[in-house]
Amino acid sequence: MDNKIVLVGASDHDYSEAIYLEDLEGNGIEVYRDRPMSNWDIRENGQIVGDTRPFVEEEIYHLGKPQVPYRLPHGTRMGHVHLSVKDSRASCQFYQQLLGVDNKFSLPSASWLASGHYHHHLAVNEWGGKELKARKTLLPGLAYYTIIYQDMVHFYHSLQQAKRMNLQLELSPQEVIVQDPDGIRFKLILEKG
């Protein structure tokens, strides 16, 4: 608000509160804070149910109004990524098979996927239309996203799954680059710990 950046929306999702804006290339950005997990609606089957209700941005803006220009805290990481795909069910199955993530919640046109007990690390949706063309490199927008593994077993499981799925992999000593059926590229990295 201080920098006159236009918000494109804001929502209360029950498990989190979020504001939405766009970068200069049109990528959607969601800045959110999670509510305590004890307040989430987690069903016995592991699905996490949320909602989309409006909330008043002014309340968040005045909550702890900064005295100096705001900077993201050191070590901040992307919490989750939403991808525009042609077929959300097919994409949901692709990512479940490749990454071993769970479908936490689905609608006919979207799915929210996560590892463990989180609400979602990855979401896929058809909101760009069923005629969405496969992503091409060097276009404005998302070039790639990165999945960082802290567990060597899960990392190598994803690599084996990629080979079983006959995916083309670009290998380097630090990372593996994969492309999904919609042309969206992502990197798999094993964090050295």
Side-chain angles (χ1 to χ4, degrees):
M1 293 172 116
D2 288 338
N3 292 312
K4 310 285 188 266
I5 296 171
V6 176
L7 296 182
V8 295
S11 297
D12 181 337
H13 295 300
D14 287 337
Y15 51 75
S16 69
E17 294 177 306
I19 59 171
Y20 303 96
L21 51 131
E22 291 181 346
D23 72 7
L24 298 176
E25 293 187 341
N27 292 306
I29 299 172
E30 175 183 1
V31 180
Y32 71 100
R33 77 166 186 98
D34 280 334
R35 289 199 168 99
M37 193 179 277
S38 60
N39 295 346
W40 297 1
D41 182 2
I42 303 174
R43 303 294 165 91
E44 285 188 26
N45 64 3
Q47 289 207 331
I48 299 171
V49 179
D51 198 352
T52 301
R53 292 188 312 276
F55 75 95
V56 181
E57 296 92 341
E58 254 337 272
E59 292 175 12
I60 289 182
Y61 180 69
H62 291 293
L63 183 72
K65 179 88 169 88
Q67 301 304 311
V68 295
Y70 178 77
R71 292 186 182 273
L72 284 175
H74 180 72
T76 297
R77 290 188 176 185
M78 189 76 65
H80 59 265
V81 176
H82 289 237
L83 304 173
S84 292
V85 298
K86 187 173 186 173
D87 182 333
S88 63
R89 287 189 182 178
S91 291
C92 180
Q93 291 170 355
F94 171 85
Y95 284 108
Q96 285 179 305
Q97 184 179 355
L98 177 63
L99 303 176
V101 292
D102 297 318
N103 181 357
K104 295 297 183 175
F105 185 71
S106 281
L107 298 171
S109 62
S111 293
W112 289 260
L113 304 151
S115 173
H117 300 294
Y118 199 58
H119 51 77
H120 68 290
H121 294 105
L122 183 66
V124 293
N125 69 66
E126 301 170 14
W127 303 332
K130 284 293 226 177
E131 302 304 315
L132 189 69
K133 302 280 188 246
R135 176 106 181 109
K136 302 266 191 246
T137 56
L138 303 178
L139 290 176
L142 182 69
Y144 64 88
Y145 64 95
T146 303
I147 299 172
I148 300 172
Y149 290 80
Q150 296 176 334
D151 183 302
M152 188 182 315
V153 172
H154 289 119
F155 176 75
Y156 286 111
H157 179 273
S158 291
L159 290 185
Q160 290 303 316
Q161 283 297 100
K163 290 176 185 175
R164 285 187 202 105
M165 295 166 74
N166 294 318
L167 300 175
Q168 286 190 319
L169 306 176
E170 295 176 36
L171 304 169
S172 77
Q174 289 81 30
E175 63 194 22
V176 178
I177 300 175
V178 185
Q179 183 170 297
D180 79 2
D182 290 284
I184 300 168
R185 294 166 54 90
F186 54 100
K187 296 180 180 184
L188 306 178
I189 295 177
L190 178 60
E191 189 170 66
K192 305 280 193 265

